[in-house]
Amino acid sequence: MVFPLAKGARGLLLTFALCMSLACTSRASALVHHDYCIIGAGPSGLQMAYFLQQASRDYVVFERSHAPGSFFALYPRHRKLISINKRYTGKSNSEFNLRHDWNSLLSHDSRLLFRHYSRDFFPHADTMVRYLEDFASRLELQVQYNTAITHVTLDRDPQAWNSHYFILTDQNSQTYRCSLLLVATGTWVPNVVSFTGSEYVEGYETVSINPDDFAGQTVLILGRGNSAFETAENILGVTNFIHMVSRSRVRLSWATHYVGDLRAINNGLLDTYQLKSLDGLLEGDLEDLAIVKDKKGKLHITLRFYLENSNSSAGAETVTLPQDELDNFATRAPYDRVIRCLGWKFDFSIYNRSLRLMPGRGNKRKYPQIKPSYESRGTRGLFVLGTASHSNDFRKSAGGFIHGFRYTTRAVHRLLENRHHGVPWPSPIYPITQLTNSIIKRVNEASGLYQMFSVLADIILVKENATAFEYLEEYPVGILAQLELHTGRKAPSGLFAVIMEYGRNFSGADKDVFYYNRAVGEAQHAWQSNFLHPVIYYYKRLPTEREMRLRPPDWPLPRPDAIHHIVEDFLTDWTAPNAHILPLRRFLENCLGTDLRNFFAESCFLIALTRQKLPPSCQQGYLRMQGLVGSEGLRRHAVKASLMENYTVVDSPNKLLDGQKELHDQLLKDHVIPGRPLQHLINTKDEL
Amino acid sequence: MSSKRNRWAPGFSFLLLCSCCMSSARNANALLELSPQEYLSSLQPGKASLVYFSRNVSPGVRPFLEQMESSVQPLQDYGISVVKVNCPKEEVSRYCGKQNALLKAYLFRGNILLREFPTDALFNVNAIVANVLFALLFNEVKYIASPVDHQNLENSLKGRLNVIFAYVPAIGTAEHRAVMEAAFVYGTAHQFILTTEVLLLKSVSTEDADGLSAQLFFCHCKRVTEPTQPCRRTPMEQPLSTLNIHKYLKLMEAPIVTEVAADPEKVSTVHLQLGLPLVFILSQKETYEADRRTAEFVAWQLLGRAGVALLARDSLGLNVLLQSNVALKTAEEGVPIKYLVLEDTDEIIALVENKLKGEQFQEYEEEEDEEEKENSDKDVQDDQVVEAIHRDRKRELPLDLIRTLTEETFHPAVTETGHTAVLFYASWEAVSLATLQSYVEVAVELKGTSGVSLARVNCWDWPGVCAKQNVTQFPVVKIYEKGERPVTYGGMLGTEDLLRFIMLSRVSCPLKLASAAAVEGYLRGELLAELLPYHTTSVLGLFMPSMKEAREAFIEAGTILKGYVTTGLYYGDDASVLSSKYNAPLPALLFARHEERSIDPVLLSRLTPQEIAQTIRYQLLETFPEITVENLPAYWSLGRPLLILFSDGDLGPWDRNEMLRLGRGSDREAFLACWLNLQRTPAGRGILKAYFSTPPPLPLLAWVNLHAGGEVFAFPPDQPVTQSNVLSWLEKCRAGLQLPSTTLSDAPWTPPLPAYNFLRMMESTLPEFTLHTAYGRGDPPGPWQAEAAEEKAPVREEQAEEPRAEAEEGQPPGRDLRGTVPRLVGRERQVKRHAEL
């Protein structure tokens, strides 16, 4: 598969080069067309390029810089990525290991795993740049560097995929026509707050990263995200003290389960604040703030309110400061520097108004508005990828980060393959006997479900008569109602959605996530599980769009016909036969109204000759000559558990009956007793 | 007051004594009869006396005087003297003179009149004692009639005094007396409240109070710190008697949780002294806080019924299990302490309750057990394969004969040796592991066989390898041969079948034979003699050199059948010679059945590879097979009714012969004649059991209409099995002239047991989940509905979470015992592991 593709890519490259030279000679007049245009060769742009390349689609990536990942060339300023690079998990399962690899992009090439690039648990940002360069070059992705798209507009054309083409113009006025636009520009425009005196504020993007420059200084930091704390962490040891102001309280990622909140690696300032080592945190609206500079160059904090009431032209000495009235005002000490670390927002400036690419509302205004399918709300055919697409799961899941959007990007690609190329969502068909196994396999190893919890779900479509099912991996749950449209698959007899969830009321900015008895150990209480655990929703028919819209807030899906929680597990290993698999099987059996137990060939033989109908495992296994004979020892175990009968020991007919009865009674006893100690074993295991 | 207390100090045994000595000291307790003067001179300041002024004893007063007399002793115990003052006829004093005074009794303290009682109110001893004490203890026992007053009083006492709230249906009853007697002793320690208002009782009691019986509550107001917080109330469950109240108050006064750091066998608390059990919660330094909370929670639940002590684990002997978290000590002498491993505080409470209820409730207990069993059934594994593997989990398989392949080693391994069998499996999956056991047995069999190697890939470790090999479910066995397409095994997952497949697939299929001599050798089984144990029939495709198309189809069919059959191919120039020798017009298939030493020709008329393979498969079926577990599916697929001869051991020659004739008869397409050897296939006994209520004599011929109707008929045992007898009997069976022995059930395979209904559990606590969508959906599917009725018990348990304790304590109640000790055991282990690292 790889060879012809690579060849094809080279061919493309050639025609592409030809086009380029043509474009150069006939400057701006010739229109270069591509089916897919990706803006931005960052992680999500390259990830999408990879999938398009694998599918042999006509695509190009535009990158304004000379190399991929230009954001990482500058940010984070202190160069330490906070995405973990876990090189050892004790497991060789490559899919599972992606659960703990937050930096790699998805590809078939195992050399392109981030652990081959860095030994650091929190890698250097330069490594990311090098990795992205390798990813683009090794996979021969079509990236056009040094091309800054400066304007995007629409060209109506009924022939086009979406009745319009996207016309992109670069800094050299070269135009490109695209059937589909994939925006992977990230959020790179620094957030700025303007208030009186904001000219004295240094931005995170330019502030010195040399701690020596801060020796003996008093610093005020605006903002309370990871960049603010990262900046503070860097200079914590040399400053007089650091104060940090922001509107909201600090949100700790280990309390919220959201990786975008303050990570423990950056929280040194919290320590020094709470231990009264001069540093401190304050809450306040930055827009009410004002900064005045005195003659010595010191910066004083005051409030807009005071400035409005006094003569604005006056110098710092005449301005009323809060401490004049309130002599214990918290930030009465003057500062040497004020640093703004307020994060970034999406660059809306290059899109023509006709594209109606609107900012989101509230705390999502830094992101463009998109649908759960990642398509823009304003323009059909415009998809937003990567960090810029985070509005779908902001402060919930990992869609704004590499380890999350590498999966949502794949989902978008699969949607596009179905929509424009008639390639339905991949969905292998399995016999119903494999249902429990398929779910157990996925919840134990799937990385997309795990990283994009509550956003991506595996969908299982039950075939007629419940004898087989189709398995669709990592489908965005937000568009479950339109599943048939988006995937090209039908859901005639019910469906299951397998999703990972945290407990409803467990995480939150001010919740104690270490409280006693926080973990549930018993399968029967599984629905109260707090940590990430698999949840399976069963619907007899696809939920409608109305039901999706009216679902309870913070619920990924509307009310199902039945629901199952697999009890949380300390090791996230859900393969325990009694605590995990058995309750799951019972759930599936009750949804489908069938018996999903496995049987040894001998049992199937007996059933086949004594009943007119056979359970699925005998029907689909034994009768197709694939019965499980099993070893003598195993059959003995089954007999001991009274789940099979032993017919080999017989004497006279009467004795046979008596013996049978005795045996039965004995087995009944055996049958009852193991329940308890077994349960105990499971419990103690969970309590570890 | 203090003197009173001192008198009571020895404890309630005194009360017991009182009742004993009452009769014996009768004469000492006779009603004191005094003249007014004598009475006046006998008055002592502060000493109370109940006086009846009598002028002339009218008959109507006599019963009252008798009651007066009886109350002398009881009142004396409280320092109250009972006096009858005989008024001289002429004297007309304040008490003696008036006529209506005769209907009253007077209570004095010193010479101060406290209260006058109508004699009607003092109708018996209880009434006398109750009323007298009630009057004397005016401050200690507040009579309250309205909930508001009650609330105000309780509020004023919060943080200071505990309240004992008593409701009596009427004044002067035995219960009233008991309350007053208790108040006499405990009046300074607690505030007593008395009421006869049912309304007030209802405001206090959580249960439905009918007001017919007296009730007493201990209100824990002293521990209340917030004025808004309510006082916790503990109802007294025993009937109100002096003794019971006394015991009860003792229990209420005892510390809620006792801390014990000594040998629990030697520990004694009020509870044990009063004959109640003592529960020990085993605690450890690390979990002290949580254990303390748990103990307190339990103690509140058991207050008045059992004591709770927190026992430092260090003080335990070595013979106590590390997992034990609870111990129970009963008041009975010589009964050792029971150590238990419990999961939930409910279990402790249940334990104590059962203890208290004793034998009389055994029946009920059994019932409960049954219920519990039903619930736990759901948690009991009913999948025979999973359970067998689970029970076998401790056994280590001898896997050294099987190579373990990884992503790196897979490709070299399958290309370096001639034939490599690879088992793809998942280490957590039961069917995979069961197959692995058979695979190990195969490896033992094949040990030393050159050119074959066995390997395995755990798809849980190497999903990439499995995906690349197109393995999407488990288990899968594939045979890799250098330069050939891998062959996927599609047969029974058992040692014999696997072994046969691996052995047979070593031979090229079809095997190209170079000469007529080789063909003869092949047909005699000499050519592939080493394979003879694994197959009974060799198949030969015989073609003219010109029949290229048919030959190629046959070759293709050979690859389909690879591993199941040995096929040979000959298309030499002298094929026509062989054709005439075996009477097989070309193209032909020859079936050399080695056991029967026969060679049957079959004309090859259909020429697609699939059809050829199908023909070969069909030809390999026997006319009168012995049905076994392994071969039933092949015959089943014919879809014919079965004529089975059940036999305990080998068939007699007669039976075999007649059956063969039936099998070869003109009716052969209408049914399958076969036999079942119970010696080799013991499961046949299970079949017989299902067909016949009593085990029939063997051999037995049965007609099983397997695919249509499911009727089973037994051939009359008195008739000899001959072809004609059987055929005529079959006619009768088909015509409905015979009664079937049984009809096989056509019940579908439904879920063996219900699942946890999490949706309903969630509904009770998460109403928002149903808020918007309750309208939209139809009824839950059948199984769920059916289950709803059956599954009440566990859900009740779910909902039984009482927020009360949490709200009042302001702390998680620590209901779940699992949090304490077993968890700690686990933690210890973890710590150890860290240290080792």
Side-chain angles (χ1 to χ4, degrees), chain B residues 672-692:
Chain B
L672 177 77
C674 56
W675 68 290
L676 197 147
N677 184 348
L678 294 179
Q679 301 276 338
R680 202 189 322 223
T681 312
R685 291 186 222 280
I687 297 170
L688 286 176
K689 231 174 75 179
Y691 289 175
F692 310 105

Side-chain angles (χ1 to χ4, degrees), chain A residues 3 25 46 204 528 557 577 581 635:
Chain A
F3 270 108
T25 49
L46 295 180
Y204 170 77
Q528 291 166 314
L557 286 167
I581 303 179
R635 286 194 303 251

Side-chain angles (χ1 to χ4, degrees), chain B residues 247-260 267-280 298-300 302-310 328-332 352 356:
Chain B
K247 274 178 163 185
Y248 175 73
L249 293 181
K250 273 269 186 234
L251 293 173
M252 292 300 124
E253 282 170 346
I256 182 95
V257 172
T258 321
E259 301 227 12
V260 178
V267 168
S268 178
T269 65
V270 179
H271 306 91
L272 290 170
Q273 287 155 18
L274 292 179
L276 293 176
L278 181 62
V279 175
F280 292 98
V298 174
W300 279 111
L302 291 176
L303 197 58
R305 293 183 285 171
V308 176
L310 201 59
L328 187 72
K329 184 176 185 176
T330 51
E332 296 147 72
V352 170
L356 294 175

Side-chain angles (χ1 to χ4, degrees), chain A residues 48 87 99 206 219 274 456 473 516 555 576 579 621 668:
Chain A
M48 188 48 131
R87 297 164 68 227
R99 289 182 169 189
T206 53
V219 178
Q274 293 292 356
L456 297 182
E473 292 180 0
Y516 211 75
W555 283 74
L668 212 69

Side-chain angles (χ1 to χ4, degrees), chain B residues 198-220:
Chain B
V198 181
L199 206 68
L200 185 50
L201 171 67
K202 280 184 175 157
S203 76
V204 170
S205 176
T206 47
E207 290 157 18
D208 259 0
D210 51 14
L212 293 178
S213 53
Q215 283 188 40
L216 188 133
F217 294 85
F218 192 94
C219 311
H220 308 263

Side-chain angles (χ1 to χ4, degrees), chain A residues 288-299:
Chain A
D288 293 338
L289 212 66
I291 296 175
V292 284
K293 198 171 195 172
D294 67 14
K295 281 178 192 154
K296 291 179 214 146
K298 298 270 185 191
L299 302 170

Side-chain angles (χ1 to χ4, degrees), chain B residues 403-416:
Chain B
R403 282 189 70 184
T404 309
L405 301 183
T406 68
E407 207 151 62
E408 287 77 38
T409 57
F410 181 81
H411 268 285
V414 298
T415 47
E416 76 194 9

Side-chain angles (χ1 to χ4, degrees), chain A residues 35-36 157-165 179-180 380 420-421:
Chain A
D35 285 348
Y36 294 94
D157 188 331
Q159 299 296 307
W161 288 358
N162 296 298
S163 319
H164 51 241
Y165 288 109
S179 303
L180 207 122
R380 202 173 141 81
H420 296 300
H421 308 286

